[in-house]
Amino acid sequence: MSVFSLIVCAGCSVKEDRTLCPCRLVLDFSEVDTAVIRSVDLDVTAPDGFVFAENVEASRFYEDYVATVPRQELQLSVWSGRGAFASDDGLSIPYGNGAPPVYIHSALLDADCEQLHHTVIMRKNHCNVTIRMKGEDVDPVSISLVGNVDGYASDGRPTLGRFCCSSVVDVDGSCTMVLPRQVDNTLMMELDDASGVLKRFAIGEYIAESGYDWATPDLEDITIDLDFAVTHLTLVIQGWEKEYMFDIVI
């Protein structure tokens, strides 16, 4: 007497239309620095309205992450650090706030296959700008950075909009603010002693003249030494050996 067993597996048979079968998306997080990134927000979307979203903890980065997705073109977006700045369209920075310390991975995937393997590499999409006031008798002063990038779209590209963040220098005459990735050199710096704008100048142009590239995958941090008389400034870019000094044109 023979016994036959039938095992039914999820998937498609040879005779079925395989365009209706799902794709097995395998994400490799092994390149993510867990000393910096403790979790990520994973978003997968498709033009037909498909949406997949999940928070992935760093403890899961050491093994392949698998998701079932439709066989079509997909937008993959992986975020770290967006927190309260998250929006339906990606990331939005309210006017008056600095950028969050965000890392982003974005890719357009062709999932028209049974299995797709993709490596996630998180890129630093924020720039920490430290401003140090130099000179004698430096009174408390408010410093603002004003630009035209107010966040990121769902695919990780900077979005245009009004941006302004401000900080008061500490007892040592310094402060740090966080900028999103810029798309041009129009960034302005304003110095205010509470009675009105004292000085306003095109810091974006000086940053560009130093050779800083806002299109580089991982943004370097910037230190600006500014003399109190505001006659010159020095730019120091993290990881670069050279300093850049400019006479300021107000």
Side-chain angles (χ1 to χ4, degrees):
M1 180 177 179
S2 300
V3 178
F4 295 91
S5 298
L6 179 63
I7 301 175
V8 180
C9 300
C12 295
S13 70
V14 174
K15 295 181 180 180
E16 290 179 295
D17 182 357
R18 303 193 68 82
T19 60
L20 301 177
C21 303
C23 170
R24 187 172 184 264
L25 176 61
V26 181
L27 298 179
D28 179 359
F29 286 96
S30 62
E31 297 295 320
V32 178
D33 185 358
T34 56
V36 177
I37 297 174
R38 303 304 303 162
S39 69
V40 297
D41 292 328
L42 173 66
D43 295 339
V44 183
T45 59
D48 67 355
F50 172 83
V51 176
F52 176 84
E54 186 176 2
N55 180 264
V56 183
E57 297 291 334
S59 59
R60 302 172 65 185
F61 292 172
Y62 302 100
E63 59 185 17
D64 286 341
Y65 177 93
V66 180
T68 300
V69 297
R71 286 196 177 198
Q72 55 184 296
E73 188 175 77
L74 302 173
Q75 175 62 53
L76 169 67
S77 300
V78 187
W79 306 81
S80 172
R82 63 177 176 172
F85 294 87
S87 68
D88 293 339
D89 298 324
L91 186 156
S92 179
I93 305 169
Y95 188 81
N97 289 262
V102 66
Y103 294 78
I104 304 173
H105 174 85
S106 178
L108 196 61
L109 304 179
D110 181 2
D112 187 14
C113 54
E114 292 186 7
Q115 179 168 297
L116 178 62
H117 188 279
H118 183 78
T119 300
V120 174
I121 300 178
M122 303 299 290
R123 297 299 190 182
K124 183 173 177 285
N125 271 261
H126 65 280
C127 172
N128 297 301
V129 180
T130 299
I131 303 166
R132 302 185 298 198
M133 301 293 291
K134 302 296 181 180
E136 298 180 358
D137 301 324
V138 178
D139 295 324
V141 62
S142 172
I143 301 177
S144 299
L145 297 175
V146 182
N148 60 5
V149 174
D150 67 350
Y152 295 94
S154 58
D155 60 3
R157 290 180 298 178
T159 56
L160 298 181
R162 296 173 66 240
F163 173 89
C164 178
C165 63
S166 303
S167 181
V168 176
V169 298
D170 60 22
V171 293
D172 296 322
S174 66
C175 64
T176 298
M177 288 173 278
V178 185
L179 291 176
R181 187 180 294 274
Q182 302 294 292
V183 296
D184 54 30
N185 304 329
T186 59
L187 188 71
M188 301 296 293
M189 178 185 288
E190 298 178 350
L191 279 68
D192 190 338
D193 68 351
S195 64
V197 175
L198 294 177
K199 305 287 184 180
R200 189 173 191 266
F201 51 93
I203 189 64
E205 294 292 344
Y206 297 111
I207 292 174
E209 287 184 41
S210 73
Y212 189 92
D213 185 3
W214 289 104
T216 192
D218 294 295
L219 294 178
E220 303 284 0
D221 294 331
I222 298 173
T223 298
I224 300 172
D225 289 334
L226 184 63
D227 78 341
F228 188 61
V230 194
T231 58
H232 69 268
L233 63 81
T234 302
L235 280 174
V236 181
I237 300 171
Q238 184 181 38
W240 296 20
E241 295 182 359
K242 187 176 179 181
E243 295 183 357
Y244 300 85
M245 183 172 290
F246 302 95
D247 292 327
I248 294 175
V249 178
I250 301 173

